[in-house]
């Protein structure tokens, strides 16, 4: 069964605004990874956060992880039109090497 | 260091034909995964392999689908007697598979269209 649920399903913002996407999951995890997918393309790995970490930064990206609530968020600051894509969270449950994907958030950034 | 390489990128097959999708993992990676993505949906796990061994095939349809990762050469996802519902993007990914929960890297995908 699908591990992650993301919300919102779709998000439209103006350039310069921040975009926040949330991901919830069901089982205990080893880590959680966020990916971006442009239309018709493959997945680009953005950031990995381990279960013992609470926050990670990479450029304009900030990821938080709350294992007690089984949730994560991805914040993109000062968004650009080029950030327009679908964003997926994927969890790596304990004792597996199998990533389970969420349903994704479609982000559109208007110039 | 080349990433995960998939080919073909696009494949058109008539109903009843066979589709073969190939995947070469990143250098040094011994574990390969196959995922399927239907239009406007997330990725669904199909199968997880290491060289000459299937570790987890819980997401593979019971019929017509098979996967292998031979000692030499790429991993192959084979779909026999394709039907229209097989039309999807098939993504391969690879990892070190050392149990440390490292990043899993994806290829650009193979888009299968069944006509």
């Amino acid at each position: 069964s699908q591990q992650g649920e993301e919300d919102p399903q779709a998000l439209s913002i103006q350039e310069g605004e921040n975009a926040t996407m949330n991901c919830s999951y069901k089982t205990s995890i080893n880590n959680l990874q966020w990916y971006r997918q442009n239309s018709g393309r493959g997945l680009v790995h953005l950031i990995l956060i381990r279960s013992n970490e609470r926050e990670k930064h990479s450029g304009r990206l900030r990821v938080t992880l709350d294992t007690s609530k089984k949730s994560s968020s991805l914040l993109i600051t000062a968004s650009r039109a080029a950030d327009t894509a679908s964003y997926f969270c994927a969890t790596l449950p304990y004792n597996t090497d199998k990533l389970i994907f969420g349903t994704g958030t479609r982000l559109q950034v208007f110039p | 260091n080349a990433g995960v390489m998939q080919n073909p990128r696009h494949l058109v097959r008539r109903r009843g034909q066979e589709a073969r999708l190939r995947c070469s993992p990143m250098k040094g990676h011994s574990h390969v995964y196959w995922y399927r993505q239907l239009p406007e949906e997330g990725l669904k796990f199909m199968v997880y392999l290491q060289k000459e061994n299937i570790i987890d095939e819980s997401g593979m349809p019971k019929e017509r689908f098979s996967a292998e990762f031979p000692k030499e050469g790429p991993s192959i996802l084979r779909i026999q007697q394709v039907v229209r519902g097989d039309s999807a993007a098939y993504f391969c990914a690879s990892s070190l598979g050392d149990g440390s929960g490292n990043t899993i890297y994806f290829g650009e995908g193979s888009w299968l269209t069944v006509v």
Side-chain angles (χ1 to χ4, degrees):
Chain A
S1 63
Q2 200 73 350
Q3 166 80 310
E5 296 292 331
E6 293 176 65
D7 83 276
Q9 287 189 324
L11 180 62
S12 295
I13 58 175
Q14 296 289 131
E15 264 192 329
E17 293 181 337
N18 296 341
T20 300
M21 289 159 266
N22 302 296
C23 168
S24 60
Y25 56 92
K26 296 177 182 174
T27 64
S28 297
I29 61 171
N30 183 314
N31 65 52
L32 185 146
Q33 305 183 34
W34 284 90
Y35 290 84
R36 184 185 73 225
Q37 184 182 33
N38 290 86
S39 181
R41 301 296 302 274
L43 278 78
V44 174
H45 184 264
L46 296 176
I47 201 162
L48 180 155
I49 186 165
R50 299 192 184 279
S51 60
N52 61 352
E53 297 176 310
R54 291 297 165 259
E55 187 170 312
K56 279 189 91 167
H57 297 253
S58 176
R60 293 184 295 113
L61 306 180
R62 181 172 79 101
V63 168
T64 61
L65 179 65
D66 186 336
T67 52
S68 66
K69 294 181 180 177
K70 291 187 169 54
S71 68
S72 175
S73 68
L74 170 67
L75 168 67
I76 304 174
T77 60
S79 63
R80 306 166 182 168
D83 294 329
T84 294
S86 291
Y87 291 82
F88 294 93
C89 72
T91 52
L92 190 69
Y94 273 126
N95 300 320
T96 78
D97 277 314
K98 180 171 75 179
L99 270 182
I100 308 296
F101 278 82
T103 50
T105 294
R106 289 190 304 279
L107 172 67
Q108 181 151 26
V109 182
F110 291 99
Chain B
N1 187 12
V4 178
M5 305 300 292
Q6 289 187 249
N7 70 82
R9 288 293 312 281
H10 297 275
L11 182 64
V12 179
R13 284 287 178 265
R14 295 187 186 279
R15 279 178 294 171
Q17 291 185 319
E18 179 179 287
R20 280 184 182 238
L21 310 177
R22 288 175 290 278
C23 170
S24 296
M26 283 182 74
K27 187 176 181 181
H29 284 189
S30 60
H31 288 229
V32 162
Y33 311 76
W34 286 95
Y35 285 79
R36 178 165 62 177
Q37 185 180 35
L38 295 172
E40 306 300 323
E41 293 189 10
L43 275 74
K44 299 288 177 63
F45 169 81
M46 298 181 75
V47 63
Y48 170 36
L49 313 100
Q50 65 178 145
K51 291 280 186 182
E52 301 183 284
N53 187 30
I54 295 175
I55 300 174
D56 183 343
E57 57 181 348
S58 57
M60 286 279 271
K62 299 300 181 191
E63 296 177 349
R64 303 187 297 108
F65 285 72
S66 62
E68 62 176 6
F69 189 16
K71 187 176 181 181
E72 301 291 337
S75 175
I76 306 285
L77 179 66
R78 182 183 178 204
I79 312 172
Q80 295 177 288
Q81 299 172 343
V82 295
V83 302
R84 287 229 170 101
D86 297 333
S87 295
Y90 292 84
F91 288 95
C92 173
S94 73
S95 72
L96 288 171
D98 60 0
S100 61
N102 286 312
T103 299
I104 296 174
Y105 294 92
F106 282 80
E108 284 289 307
S110 291
W111 267 257
L112 172 65
T113 302
V114 179
V115 298

